[in-house]
Amino acid sequence: MMISTFANYQNLLSEISQNKKLLAILIDPEKFDSTSCKAFISRIPKETTHLFIGGSTVPKNVTKALVAQLKRTTRLPIFIFPGDADQICFNADALLFLSLLSGNNPEYLIGQQVEAAAKLKNQSLEIIATGYLLIDGGTESAVARVTNTSPLLQNNVDLIVHTALAGALMGAKVIYLEAGSGAKTPVSEKIISEVKKALKIPLIVGGGVRTTAQLEEAYSAGADMVVMGTVFEKK
Ligand code: 1GP
């Protein structure tokens, strides 16, 4: 196993400790025209701190090519956010190593991770263990469909908090609350604040955030990083 550095994670911790609010823009390679990187970078908010690249169903090798294109266009850190092991590539800055804790599907709890480990063992890509929780966003999400799992209901706050905490106790370095791309209802402030209270690790929140008001609400409830995707896709 190569030794990887944890520079990107350390940066997250340091920025969060200075009360900086982080904003990641998610690019789904399947919905993105890789010849439009420059225009894309110019239309995302200047507050953007990270780019996430990933989707639920992305063909092999597409992610790698897109990361390479983006690297020529921006110096923002690029994290891969893969829906499966096939999306892993090594030219990004870090990999969010997701385990879908909310659904009882072993394939996405540990199966894809075992496949990924085989690819990662001789690589130096920074890996950030991520406890990933799918929360009901009011519409069937691609994550639910592809993983064949049910989201946690927003009114079941205790279950969400305990699931996030279990992830942290199992060693997750960040917890990611996901309402699903294109969610009607983003993760509620109540959920964000209760999960934040229970955790000492960074909290990422995404899905259905479209407006500055929703972004600010998520931050003030306790999100350290908010992820926005659909709203910046080209119409
Ligand atoms: C990232 O899936 C989200 O967590 C992105 O959601 O596309 O709804 O912004 P949107």
Side-chain angles (χ1 to χ4, degrees):
M1 183 88 184
M2 304 254 302
I3 308 289
S4 59
T5 64
F6 296 99
N8 286 280
Y9 186 65
Q10 289 304 336
N11 280 347
L12 284 188
L13 295 180
S14 127
E15 289 176 321
I16 292 167
S17 73
Q18 295 161 48
N19 286 324
K20 188 164 177 207
K21 294 299 184 185
L22 305 170
L23 175 62
I25 304 300
L26 173 67
I27 302 176
D28 182 339
E30 269 212 304
K31 301 182 190 159
F32 190 78
D33 169 8
S34 61
T35 61
S36 68
C37 289
K38 225 172 165 181
F40 177 79
I41 295 296
S42 65
R43 77 170 179 269
I44 62 177
K46 62 176 185 340
E47 293 79 11
T48 302
T49 57
H50 293 76
L51 295 179
F52 284 4
I53 314 292
S56 296
T57 51
V58 181
K60 251 188 170 162
N61 296 324
V62 173
T63 306
K64 181 179 174 189
L66 178 56
V67 171
Q69 285 273 14
L70 286 163
K71 284 265 169 207
R72 288 195 280 274
T73 318
T74 177
R75 298 176 76 169
L76 287 169
I78 299 178
F79 288 10
I80 336 170
F81 174 58
D84 56 49
D86 279 345
Q87 292 177 44
I88 293 176
C89 58
F90 305 107
N91 54 347
D93 295 290
L95 162 68
L96 293 177
F97 196 77
L98 308 174
S99 179
L100 181 64
L101 304 176
S102 54
N104 294 321
N105 184 346
E107 180 62 15
Y108 292 92
L109 262 173
I110 184 64
Q112 289 290 323
Q113 293 75 0
V114 173
E115 263 187 56
K119 295 186 173 188
L120 291 165
K121 65 183 172 191
N122 293 317
Q123 299 288 339
S124 57
L125 178 64
E126 180 174 342
I127 295 166
I128 302 176
T130 303
Y132 189 54
L133 279 69
L134 182 62
I135 315 283
D136 184 27
T139 179
E140 196 203 20
S141 64
V143 178
R145 202 172 53 247
V146 170
T147 64
N148 196 22
T149 65
S150 302
L152 300 175
L153 299 181
Q154 297 231 9
N155 61 9
N156 209 339
V157 180
D158 283 348
L159 179 61
I160 294 171
V161 171
H162 297 156
T163 306
L165 190 53
L169 294 173
M170 288 192 295
K173 294 282 191 291
V174 299
I175 291 292
Y176 192 138
L177 302 177
E178 170 71 271
S181 187
K184 280 192 199 138
T185 321
V187 179
S188 73
E189 292 165 83
K190 169 88 179 156
I191 294 170
I192 297 172
S193 67
E194 293 299 322
V195 171
K196 182 66 189 173
K197 265 192 255 165
L199 294 180
K200 293 195 174 67
I201 55 177
L203 180 59
I204 304 176
V205 176
V209 177
R210 291 179 182 80
T211 65
T212 309
Q214 289 171 321
L215 180 65
E216 292 304 329
E217 276 165 18
Y219 286 143
S220 46
D224 298 304
M225 175 186 269
V226 174
V227 186
M228 297 172 83
T230 306
V231 81
F232 297 110
E233 279 167 13
K234 202 151 176 64
K235 298 290 170 294

